[in-house]
Amino acid sequence: MCGIVGYIGKREAYPIIIKGLKRLEYRGYDSAGIALLNGDLKIMKKKGKVSDLEASITGESLDSTLGIGHTRWATHGEPNDVNAHPHTSSDGKLAIIHNGIIENYQSLKTELEQKGHKFKSETDSEVIIHLVEEIKKSNNCSLEEAVRLSLQEIVGAYAICILSSDEDKQLIAARKGSPLVIGVGDGEFFIASDATPIIEYTNNVVYLDDYEIAIIKNGKLTLKSIEDVAKTPFVHTLEMELESIEKGGFEHFMLKEIHEQPKSIRDCLRGRLIPKDNHLFLNGMSQYMNKFLNTDRLIFIACGTSWHAALVAEYLFEDIARISVEVEYASEFRYRNPVIRENDVVIPISQSGETADTLAAIELAKSKGATIFGVCNVVGSSIARASHAGAFIHAGPEIGVASTKAFTGQVTVLAMMALILGLKKGTLSESRYRELLFELDTIPDKIQKILENAEPIKRIASTFQSAKNFLYLGRGYNFPVALEGALKLKEISYIHAEGYPAAEMKHGPIALIDEDMPVVFISTKDATYDKIISNIQEVKARKGKVIAIVTEGDKDIQNMSEYTVQIPKTEDCFIPLLSVIPLQLLSYYIAIYRGCNVDQPRNLAKSVTVE
Ligand code: M6R
């Protein structure tokens, strides 16, 4: 939901900002813009991708050591040159970039228009810079003070950077609800929505907190609250590697991230799982073990793919730890007046750790006294920091908009949690626990094997690239995988797809089946195997095209299906970690055959920081 970058220091700002915007393009890519300050403000903005902006800038002087840049995912106002950021004040001396939503922008705009301000765009963001201009003029105060007072009037979410051609060289940034990281270099500072634009220059970062303002001038960073209370910047050291945010020889980030899964799961298990020592340990969980043992239910909140991982958790925790589980869409949970008790353990799952709906649901649960145990990928993210405790999935940066390695990382952490709790509660015997630890340890190699045998998946993708619809059916642990397979396909190839529990098909969707309908069955040898065979027959009887994901060596389903993809055998509770891989590849290759932009699908953004 929009990426923002800023630089102040001794180097040329433009190349740093352009490169930073490209790294942040996963957050939004419908328009982009830059403001550079060198005496006057120079604003360049353009509908389209960062590369379109770059191509449009020719023969201009870009001399400047202070600048800001923005890549947009439109909320208010269609994607066009005018609505692109940066936005400027009426006198043209102030420029702003903004990520978030200003909820009271309409009333502020009306007031400001009555005072003579002329608005150029349809965005909510522009109102902030006019408000700052108005307050600066009417209070005859510094820019810093005007920003602080303006933010007290603003309702909504924001991460902003502001430049002024009227005052000494400085960069002002602030946040509430949208992420902002400040990179601290040697006499230079970098600002960005996440650490990826910063990492090649410095690994020292300060995460701005809500209601904090950063003022950077004269080579110094000063922090204060919007109530004017001085804050001490806390410098964290980033552990991210530069290679992890580059494509590393793959054509797309999505393909790279699919192929990274053996490694990302090993990273997730490292130090936590040592089967020969009967060792499985999650630090965050052990600190809150009493909470887990004394609650009678777990509530999972998440969105999108992370919600599918939560559905897998429902099967895992009920099956292994015999604890009741509720799985909630974060966006619905908040508005339903849910019953939340003090001894509830609420588990938000989020790759980015910035999803606004999930954050809002956490705040609600927290206000009712629940314990929040976050399962996130991004260290230092808002959800990680809003949680009482948690476990990172350590998947490394996920840049493709379609989530892949985050899903398997989430399921890996959730499986470890369920095993730990099962043993502690005595619902899992020591011997079974030990067997499962050994099996979990084999999962990365088994994923590797699936990845090395992608040819049949490519052929299926080529055959069905022009399909209008797809059905994905699974039962038990494979039901959430069916939903995830359908989501992957629709988001990157724009083919309509639905995931269903296989047995539900006969209660409605079966009416859709004819000779043009590809039906993907996730039909591995597990507890529901015999039942799903009947569902396959029901589809065949209506001439549907059956594509089956089966366990290696399974002849029965192979004989009755037009297309099969084999995956190695594993324990039922770990099947989603394997069965999702062919579905990720299938959607990837279909999207490629259809000529779609898999890393930047239309209308989407990686990190959904608006409600
Ligand atoms: O960062 P989060 O895990 O909180 O994001 C949740 C969803 O927005 C995300 O999973 C989305 O559905 C993906 N694009 C799916 O591939």
Tab-separated table of all heavy atoms in Angstrom, residues 89-116:
chain	number	residue	atom	x	y	z
A	89	SER	N	2.193	22.107	-1.400
A	89	SER	CA	1.333	23.121	-0.786
A	89	SER	C	0.920	24.140	-1.848
A	89	SER	O	1.453	24.142	-2.958
A	89	SER	CB	2.112	23.808	0.341
A	89	SER	OG	3.362	24.242	-0.162
A	90	SER	N	0.008	25.048	-1.472
A	90	SER	CA	-0.473	26.046	-2.442
A	90	SER	C	0.669	26.897	-2.965
A	90	SER	O	0.721	27.229	-4.155
A	90	SER	CB	-1.506	26.962	-1.785
A	90	SER	OG	-2.617	26.220	-1.381
A	91	ASP	N	1.627	27.247	-2.082
A	91	ASP	CA	2.732	28.115	-2.534
A	91	ASP	C	3.859	27.303	-3.193
A	91	ASP	O	4.867	27.863	-3.619
A	91	ASP	CB	3.278	28.951	-1.370
A	91	ASP	CG	3.906	28.105	-0.263
A	91	ASP	OD1	4.056	26.865	-0.449
A	91	ASP	OD2	4.269	28.660	0.788
A	92	GLY	N	3.710	25.998	-3.252
A	92	GLY	CA	4.698	25.148	-3.922
A	92	GLY	C	6.001	24.976	-3.152
A	92	GLY	O	6.975	24.425	-3.680
A	93	LYS	N	6.028	25.425	-1.895
A	93	LYS	CA	7.298	25.367	-1.157
A	93	LYS	C	7.421	24.152	-0.251
A	93	LYS	O	8.467	23.921	0.363
A	93	LYS	CB	7.464	26.647	-0.324
A	93	LYS	CG	7.663	27.852	-1.208
A	93	LYS	CD	7.881	29.095	-0.403
A	93	LYS	CE	8.275	30.240	-1.336
A	93	LYS	NZ	8.225	31.518	-0.671
A	94	LEU	N	6.341	23.414	-0.120
A	94	LEU	CA	6.361	22.203	0.713
A	94	LEU	C	5.960	21.017	-0.148
A	94	LEU	O	5.062	21.137	-0.993
A	94	LEU	CB	5.350	22.312	1.862
A	94	LEU	CG	5.501	23.444	2.862
A	94	LEU	CD1	4.317	23.438	3.830
A	94	LEU	CD2	6.804	23.313	3.631
A	95	ALA	N	6.587	19.871	0.086
A	95	ALA	CA	6.209	18.646	-0.654
A	95	ALA	C	6.068	17.502	0.337
A	95	ALA	O	6.809	17.424	1.331
A	95	ALA	CB	7.266	18.307	-1.694
A	96	ILE	N	5.107	16.626	0.047
A	96	ILE	CA	4.854	15.486	0.954
A	96	ILE	C	4.692	14.191	0.161
A	96	ILE	O	4.182	14.192	-0.959
A	96	ILE	CB	3.577	15.732	1.802
A	96	ILE	CG1	3.462	14.663	2.897
A	96	ILE	CG2	2.321	15.734	0.936
A	96	ILE	CD1	2.393	14.961	3.931
A	97	ILE	N	5.127	13.087	0.752
A	97	ILE	CA	4.733	11.751	0.289
A	97	ILE	C	4.042	11.083	1.479
A	97	ILE	O	4.410	11.327	2.641
A	97	ILE	CB	5.945	10.914	-0.197
A	97	ILE	CG1	7.083	10.938	0.825
A	97	ILE	CG2	6.404	11.381	-1.572
A	97	ILE	CD1	8.243	10.024	0.490
A	98	HIS	N	3.066	10.248	1.183
A	98	HIS	CA	2.224	9.688	2.253
A	98	HIS	C	1.842	8.252	1.933
A	98	HIS	O	1.479	7.937	0.803
A	98	HIS	CB	0.957	10.563	2.379
A	98	HIS	CG	-0.143	9.972	3.215
A	98	HIS	ND1	-1.454	9.927	2.793
A	98	HIS	CD2	-0.134	9.404	4.445
A	98	HIS	CE1	-2.205	9.368	3.728
A	98	HIS	NE2	-1.429	9.028	4.741
A	99	ASN	N	1.916	7.401	2.932
A	99	ASN	CA	1.371	6.038	2.841
A	99	ASN	C	0.346	5.902	3.953
A	99	ASN	O	0.677	6.110	5.121
A	99	ASN	CB	2.507	5.022	3.017
A	99	ASN	CG	1.990	3.605	3.215
A	99	ASN	OD1	0.940	3.256	2.700
A	99	ASN	ND2	2.718	2.798	3.951
A	100	GLY	N	-0.897	5.565	3.594
A	100	GLY	CA	-1.943	5.418	4.625
A	100	GLY	C	-3.236	6.033	4.124
A	100	GLY	O	-3.388	6.288	2.924
A	101	ILE	N	-4.151	6.264	5.038
A	101	ILE	CA	-5.425	6.887	4.659
A	101	ILE	C	-5.791	7.947	5.694
A	101	ILE	O	-5.748	7.680	6.897
A	101	ILE	CB	-6.550	5.834	4.566
A	101	ILE	CG1	-6.351	4.971	3.326
A	101	ILE	CG2	-7.919	6.479	4.543
A	101	ILE	CD1	-7.499	4.055	2.994
A	102	ILE	N	-6.138	9.129	5.216
A	102	ILE	CA	-6.584	10.192	6.131
A	102	ILE	C	-8.110	10.157	6.153
A	102	ILE	O	-8.775	10.486	5.166
A	102	ILE	CB	-6.067	11.581	5.653
A	102	ILE	CG1	-4.547	11.540	5.477
A	102	ILE	CG2	-6.478	12.672	6.643
A	102	ILE	CD1	-3.749	11.056	6.659
A	103	GLU	N	-8.657	9.723	7.281
A	103	GLU	CA	-10.106	9.482	7.325
A	103	GLU	C	-10.911	10.778	7.349
A	103	GLU	O	-12.032	10.820	6.857
A	103	GLU	CB	-10.450	8.610	8.537
A	103	GLU	CG	-9.980	7.169	8.334
A	103	GLU	CD	-9.974	6.339	9.610
A	103	GLU	OE1	-10.616	6.734	10.596
A	103	GLU	OE2	-9.293	5.288	9.608
A	104	ASN	N	-10.376	11.838	7.956
A	104	ASN	CA	-11.142	13.099	8.033
A	104	ASN	C	-10.692	14.099	6.958
A	104	ASN	O	-10.785	15.307	7.160
A	104	ASN	CB	-11.029	13.711	9.428
A	104	ASN	CG	-9.592	14.032	9.813
A	104	ASN	OD1	-8.659	13.470	9.247
A	104	ASN	ND2	-9.408	14.926	10.773
A	105	TYR	N	-10.183	13.572	5.840
A	105	TYR	CA	-9.627	14.495	4.841
A	105	TYR	C	-10.691	15.396	4.236
A	105	TYR	O	-10.449	16.542	3.927
A	105	TYR	CB	-8.862	13.718	3.751
A	105	TYR	CG	-9.693	13.252	2.591
A	105	TYR	CD1	-9.726	13.954	1.400
A	105	TYR	CD2	-10.465	12.108	2.695
A	105	TYR	CE1	-10.496	13.543	0.340
A	105	TYR	CE2	-11.233	11.667	1.638
A	105	TYR	CZ	-11.245	12.399	0.462
A	105	TYR	OH	-12.018	11.971	-0.581
A	106	GLN	N	-11.935	14.868	4.117
A	106	GLN	CA	-12.958	15.661	3.453
A	106	GLN	C	-13.281	16.925	4.251
A	106	GLN	O	-13.355	18.030	3.701
A	106	GLN	CB	-14.216	14.797	3.252
A	106	GLN	CG	-15.179	15.321	2.202
A	106	GLN	CD	-14.525	15.518	0.829
A	106	GLN	OE1	-14.083	14.565	0.196
A	106	GLN	NE2	-14.453	16.766	0.365
A	107	SER	N	-13.447	16.769	5.580
A	107	SER	CA	-13.781	17.954	6.379
A	107	SER	C	-12.594	18.917	6.430
A	107	SER	O	-12.766	20.145	6.352
A	107	SER	CB	-14.242	17.546	7.785
A	107	SER	OG	-13.223	16.793	8.403
A	108	LEU	N	-11.375	18.370	6.532
A	108	LEU	CA	-10.198	19.245	6.543
A	108	LEU	C	-10.081	19.994	5.216
A	108	LEU	O	-9.788	21.195	5.177
A	108	LEU	CB	-8.922	18.416	6.768
A	108	LEU	CG	-8.726	17.823	8.176
A	108	LEU	CD1	-7.544	16.848	8.172
A	108	LEU	CD2	-8.498	18.926	9.207
A	109	LYS	N	-10.365	19.289	4.133
A	109	LYS	CA	-10.247	19.892	2.799
A	109	LYS	C	-11.228	21.054	2.643
A	109	LYS	O	-10.869	22.124	2.165
A	109	LYS	CB	-10.502	18.800	1.741
A	109	LYS	CG	-10.244	19.243	0.328
A	109	LYS	CD	-10.323	18.049	-0.622
A	109	LYS	CE	-10.101	18.497	-2.052
A	109	LYS	NZ	-10.082	17.392	-2.994
A	110	THR	N	-12.468	20.796	3.104
A	110	THR	CA	-13.483	21.861	2.990
A	110	THR	C	-13.038	23.105	3.751
A	110	THR	O	-13.105	24.225	3.241
A	110	THR	CB	-14.836	21.333	3.542
A	110	THR	OG1	-15.091	20.082	2.919
A	110	THR	CG2	-15.978	22.279	3.294
A	111	GLU	N	-12.549	22.906	4.984
A	111	GLU	CA	-12.081	24.054	5.795
A	111	GLU	C	-10.943	24.796	5.099
A	111	GLU	O	-10.922	26.019	5.045
A	111	GLU	CB	-11.507	23.536	7.121
A	111	GLU	CG	-12.484	23.477	8.264
A	111	GLU	CD	-11.802	22.882	9.488
A	111	GLU	OE1	-10.684	23.309	9.804
A	111	GLU	OE2	-12.389	21.961	10.095
A	112	LEU	N	-10.004	24.001	4.557
A	112	LEU	CA	-8.834	24.619	3.923
A	112	LEU	C	-9.229	25.343	2.636
A	112	LEU	O	-8.699	26.420	2.332
A	112	LEU	CB	-7.767	23.551	3.646
A	112	LEU	CG	-7.054	23.031	4.896
A	112	LEU	CD1	-6.381	21.683	4.641
A	112	LEU	CD2	-6.016	24.048	5.387
A	113	GLU	N	-10.192	24.773	1.905
A	113	GLU	CA	-10.644	25.445	0.674
A	113	GLU	C	-11.293	26.787	1.025
A	113	GLU	O	-11.096	27.783	0.333
A	113	GLU	CB	-11.626	24.550	-0.086
A	113	GLU	CG	-10.892	23.502	-0.917
A	113	GLU	CD	-11.793	22.472	-1.566
A	113	GLU	OE1	-12.926	22.253	-1.057
A	113	GLU	OE2	-11.365	21.873	-2.564
A	114	GLN	N	-12.030	26.791	2.145
A	114	GLN	CA	-12.669	28.048	2.559
A	114	GLN	C	-11.606	29.104	2.890
A	114	GLN	O	-11.846	30.294	2.802
A	114	GLN	CB	-13.574	27.810	3.764
A	114	GLN	CG	-14.900	27.183	3.361
A	114	GLN	CD	-15.637	26.503	4.517
A	114	GLN	OE1	-15.152	26.517	5.650
A	114	GLN	NE2	-16.777	25.913	4.218
A	115	LYS	N	-10.416	28.606	3.279
A	115	LYS	CA	-9.337	29.559	3.599
A	115	LYS	C	-8.491	29.887	2.367
A	115	LYS	O	-7.449	30.503	2.470
A	115	LYS	CB	-8.449	28.967	4.691
A	115	LYS	CG	-9.151	28.932	6.037
A	115	LYS	CD	-8.264	28.342	7.113
A	115	LYS	CE	-8.998	28.404	8.442
A	115	LYS	NZ	-8.552	27.412	9.379
A	116	GLY	N	-8.936	29.417	1.219
A	116	GLY	CA	-8.272	29.807	-0.028
A	116	GLY	C	-7.315	28.784	-0.601
A	116	GLY	O	-6.657	29.043	-1.617
